[in-house]
Amino acid sequence: MWWWWWWWASGRRERDWRCVVWACLSLLAGVTLPKGSGGLLAHASAAEEEDWGTLVAVTAERGSTARLPCKINSQNPEDPVLLVLWYKNASVTPVYSYDSRGTDGGEGASVRHRQWGDEAVWGKEQRAWFDISTTPAQLLIRNVLGRDEGNYRCKVHFKGSPSWSQRITLNVKDPPGFPKIQDASGLRLEGPIGPYEDGSTVRMICMSSGEPPPGLVWGGLGSALGGGSAVEREGNLAKTWLNVVASRSTADSVITCSTMNASVSSGIMNTVSVTLRVNLPPLRVTLESPGEWVSGGQQTSFICRVSGASPEPVIQWWLAGRQLTSHLPTVTTLAGNVSESKLKLTPEPGDHGVPLVCKAFSPNLPGTVMHQQITLAVHSSSRQHTTFPNMAMQSS
């Protein structure tokens, strides 16, 4: 019954998180939030009750379309569904949403805009789509991959009725001769995996079945690490092991496992791969100013570049010891594990001589903060301009 405890704990964490967010959003009642993760939260009270459906098991063949059911009808036929959120495994942030708030229910652009999927899960091609034309409604996952396997939960919010949650487990069935990578606990590993702590050892098992069982070979970083253990065969099942130490040198490395067959011209039949994610603090923070001084009352852009952090870092701007939360700097990801934040600031004469600070840290390592600062030199008609003091890297 371990899965029951997992689902209960996961639901409890999510409910606590939701209550805090809803309390903060209560001041924004009636406002349609922008597309994306910020617009995925339902308008509901923190004390609402929630019904739970029974666990549903779904099996889909690799490459086919998986259909995950979710009932979106309340006990009151006149009570419309406002929001459907889909969660995967223990995540407290949705991987997919269906939002009908602010739409008229008709066809057209408004319908297309109310569905959102996390690109990190479904890719840029958006393999998932929530189909409300069936009973029950279904989350369709096209071209099912091994990494889609896991525990899902759809959470349905109505205008007046209690929320409803449906639990679904998705098992992806591989064709004969196709390799499968999993960890020591049996969890399937495919695509981005982790993030793991720096210095931890990730033990991977690659297996495949067939008659006779195929050969297996590690590739990518796996081949650089010695190719793993020898292949063991039990009946029609073949297995091999590989241990990888998560570190800065192995972060974002691709590891493959392929089935081999001497009768095939290239030898390789099928390949599955993983990309190792590692929690890493920033290595460098660089704060760029537009010049030696800035003009008071005129908007000026500052750029902060952060390199070496994984996953994408949290970047904060501080002025005179106060965090700038209303300026909404834009953050983009550049090549080479570099993130860039651009701040548009209108300095006032009173900001002359105060520090402007850029802080950065990995979201999973909040205790490892790195920052850089400059002292603003604000020029006004009543003051001769001065220059910026030399900038110095400061870490904490």
Side-chain angles (χ1 to χ4, degrees):
M1 297 295 289
W2 61 269
W3 56 265
W4 181 90
W5 163 254
W6 183 90
W7 277 113
W8 179 87
S10 176
R12 182 179 181 182
R13 288 195 303 270
E14 197 279 332
R15 285 192 295 270
D16 293 342
W17 167 82
R18 189 191 68 227
C19 290
V20 174
V21 175
W22 282 338
C24 295
L25 292 180
S26 60
L27 297 177
L28 302 177
V31 177
T32 301
L33 298 178
K35 179 183 177 182
S37 59
L40 302 181
L41 301 173
H43 173 65
S45 67
E48 69 171 323
E49 296 296 330
E50 181 179 332
D51 294 331
W52 287 79
T54 56
L55 179 65
V56 176
V58 176
T59 300
E61 298 242 352
R62 177 183 287 271
S64 67
T65 297
R67 301 175 182 273
L68 278 56
C70 179
K71 186 184 74 171
I72 61 172
N73 304 107
S74 68
Q75 295 180 354
N76 179 6
E78 303 300 323
D79 192 10
V81 59
L82 295 182
L83 187 70
V84 181
L85 301 178
W86 284 88
Y87 300 87
K88 183 180 179 182
N89 296 332
S91 174
V92 296
T93 57
V95 297
Y96 199 88
S97 76
Y98 169 89
D99 190 349
S100 67
R101 296 169 299 173
T103 63
D104 56 10
E107 299 296 329
S110 62
V111 176
R112 291 194 297 271
H113 290 346
R114 66 188 184 189
Q115 300 224 24
W116 172 88
D118 187 349
E119 285 190 4
V121 178
W122 312 116
K124 292 184 178 180
E125 67 275 21
Q126 287 295 328
R127 295 180 298 111
W129 178 259
F130 191 51
D131 184 5
I132 63 171
S133 66
T134 62
T135 303
Q138 298 176 336
L139 181 67
L140 307 180
I141 306 175
R142 298 180 292 104
N143 189 25
V144 169
L145 305 173
R147 65 172 179 262
D148 297 327
E149 188 172 88
N151 298 311
Y152 292 81
R153 181 163 58 96
C154 75
K155 189 175 185 64
V156 185
H157 298 287
F158 302 97
K159 185 174 182 179
S161 302
S163 296
W164 157 269
S165 286
Q166 177 67 61
R167 300 163 294 164
I168 308 101
T169 61
L170 174 61
N171 177 62
V172 177
K173 184 178 180 181
D174 296 304
F178 204 97
K180 174 183 178 181
I181 301 177
Q182 64 182 42
D183 63 13
S185 68
L187 177 67
R188 185 193 287 262
L189 304 176
E190 188 174 325
I193 61 172
Y196 299 96
E197 297 305 316
D198 188 10
S200 62
T201 298
V202 184
R203 182 171 175 82
M204 304 180 189
I205 306 171
C206 181
M207 61 184 66
S208 182
S209 60
E211 189 61 48
L216 296 171
V217 60
W218 293 98
L221 178 64
S223 59
L225 296 175
S229 69
V231 177
E232 298 181 3
R233 291 177 172 82
E234 300 176 3
N236 65 346
L237 182 66
K239 293 183 180 180
T240 180
W241 288 261
L242 178 70
N243 292 329
V244 180
V245 177
S247 65
R248 194 172 289 276
S249 62
T250 59
D252 298 322
S253 296
V254 177
I255 303 170
T256 65
C257 182
S258 304
T259 52
M260 303 290 292
N261 191 323
S263 64
V264 180
S265 58
S266 64
I268 296 179
M269 298 169 56
N270 297 293
T271 298
V272 66
S273 65
V274 299
T275 303
L276 192 67
R277 302 290 191 229
V278 184
N279 284 326
L280 297 171
L283 284 176
R284 183 187 300 272
V285 176
T286 305
L287 178 55
E288 297 182 0
S289 63
E292 295 180 340
W293 55 275
V294 295
S295 297
Q298 295 186 10
Q299 187 179 80
T300 306
S301 296
F302 298 85
I303 296 177
C304 181
R305 290 190 179 91
V306 182
S307 61
S310 181
E312 184 176 292
V314 175
I315 301 178
Q316 299 175 344
W317 290 88
W318 296 71
L319 180 65
R322 173 177 55 87
Q323 185 177 357
L324 302 177
T325 58
S326 61
H327 291 73
L328 298 177
T330 57
V331 179
T332 57
T333 301
L334 308 178
N337 198 20
V338 177
S339 296
E340 179 180 279
S341 176
K342 186 175 183 179
L343 173 71
K344 293 183 179 180
L345 181 68
T346 304
E348 301 296 335
D351 294 326
H352 179 76
V354 304
L356 176 65
V357 184
C358 176
K359 294 184 179 181
F361 58 89
S362 170
N364 297 333
L365 301 170
T368 55
V369 180
M370 180 170 283
H371 71 273
Q372 188 177 38
Q373 72 177 46
I374 59 176
T375 301
L376 289 181
V378 183
H379 174 64
S380 64
S381 58
S382 61
R383 178 192 298 124
Q384 295 293 325
H385 73 263
T386 55
T387 60
F388 284 116
N390 292 331
M391 294 185 293
M393 176 75 71
Q394 298 184 13
S395 305
S396 60

